[in-house]
Amino acid sequence: GQQLNQSPQSMFIQEGEDVSMNCTSSSIFNTWLWYKQDPGEGPVLLIALYKAGELTSNGRLTAQFGITRKDSFLNISASIPSDVGIYFCARGDMRFGAGTRLTVKP
Amino acid sequence: DGGITQSPKYLFRKEGQNVTLSCEQNLNHDAMYWYRQDPGQGLRLIYYSQIVNDFQKGDIAEGYSVSREKKESFPLTVTSAQKNPTAFYLCASSPPTSRFSPSGNTIYFGEGSWLTVV
C-alpha cells in the first residue's frame, strides 16, 4: 500500500520547549489532518489542511501542508504539561500515521 | 448534543463468540469508518461506508463484518474468525465532500470501545 511515515515515534521534552513532528507519504494527497489522542479516548481534531503550502495555526499549534503535497508538519510552541498525548497525522484517504508520543516534563 | 456514540465502552468476549460494537451518529454525516488501535500503535482502517447500503473493506477487514442500513448507524461485528480481537475500536464519521466543502475529508471520532477476549 501507499506508505505513510510519521516521525519521531516519541519525544521527551521540558516544559516550555518547542516541538516539531512530521509525516511523509509516498503519494500525493489533497488533505492532511492532525489529531491528538489522550489515553483511552478517541482522537480529537487539531488542525485540517486542504491546500499545498497552507500554514494554519490553532493557539500554540501550527501545521503546514508541504508544497510537494506529500508531507505535513506540526509544531507546538512553548509546551505545557497538558500537551502530553499521542499526536497523529492523517491524509486524505483516511489513513493514519503511527503516532508521535509526547511526554512533557514539568 | 451532536456527536458519535459508541457502545459498549468495555466488552469481554469468549473465544469463538461473535460480538457487535455499536456506532451511532446524529451529525447527518454520510461517511462512517471503523478503526482498530492496538496498545502503543496507530489506527488501522477496518471498514468504511460512504453512503447507506454501501461499504468497503479497509486495510484489515478479515474477521470483521459491517452493515449500513441506516445513515446514522454503522455497527461492527467482530467474528470468531478474527484470531486476535483484543484492541481498542474507534468509530468515526465525516460530512459530505464537495468542491465547496473540502471539510468532508475531515473525520470525527467517537470515544472508542475496548474489546477483550477472555
Side-chain angles (χ1 to χ4, degrees), chain B residues 83-104:
Chain B
K83 297 306 176 190
N84 186 21
T86 295
F88 188 48
Y89 289 87
L90 287 157
C91 179
S93 69
S94 65
T97 302
S98 72
R99 199 174 120 200
F100 306 103
S101 178
S103 62

Side-chain angles (χ1 to χ4, degrees), chain B residues 37-106:
Chain B
Q37 186 176 29
D38 292 285
Q41 303 292 317
L43 283 64
R44 292 184 290 169
L45 183 63
I46 305 173
Y47 267 99
Y48 63 98
S49 168
Q50 302 278 35
I51 197 168
V52 174
N53 292 322
D54 185 54
F55 49 83
Q56 307 294 329
K57 292 182 179 180
D59 300 322
I60 56 165
E62 186 174 351
Y64 299 96
S65 66
V66 293
S67 63
R68 187 85 188 277
E69 297 176 3
K70 298 186 294 182
K71 186 176 185 178
E72 58 270 24
S73 179
F74 192 40
L76 174 74
T77 297
V78 184
T79 75
S80 57
Q82 172 49 241
K83 297 306 176 190
N84 186 21
T86 295
F88 188 48
Y89 289 87
L90 287 157
C91 179
S93 69
S94 65
T97 302
S98 72
R99 199 174 120 200
F100 306 103
S101 178
S103 62
N105 281 339
T106 304

Side-chain angles (χ1 to χ4, degrees), chain A residues 31 35 37 40 50 94-95, chain B residues 9 35 37 59 105-107:
Chain A
T31 302
Y35 290 83
Q37 185 181 32
Y50 302 110
M94 304 313 166
R95 266 56 176 193
Chain B
K9 179 70 176 179
Y35 291 87
Q37 186 176 29
D59 300 322
N105 281 339
T106 304
I107 63 174

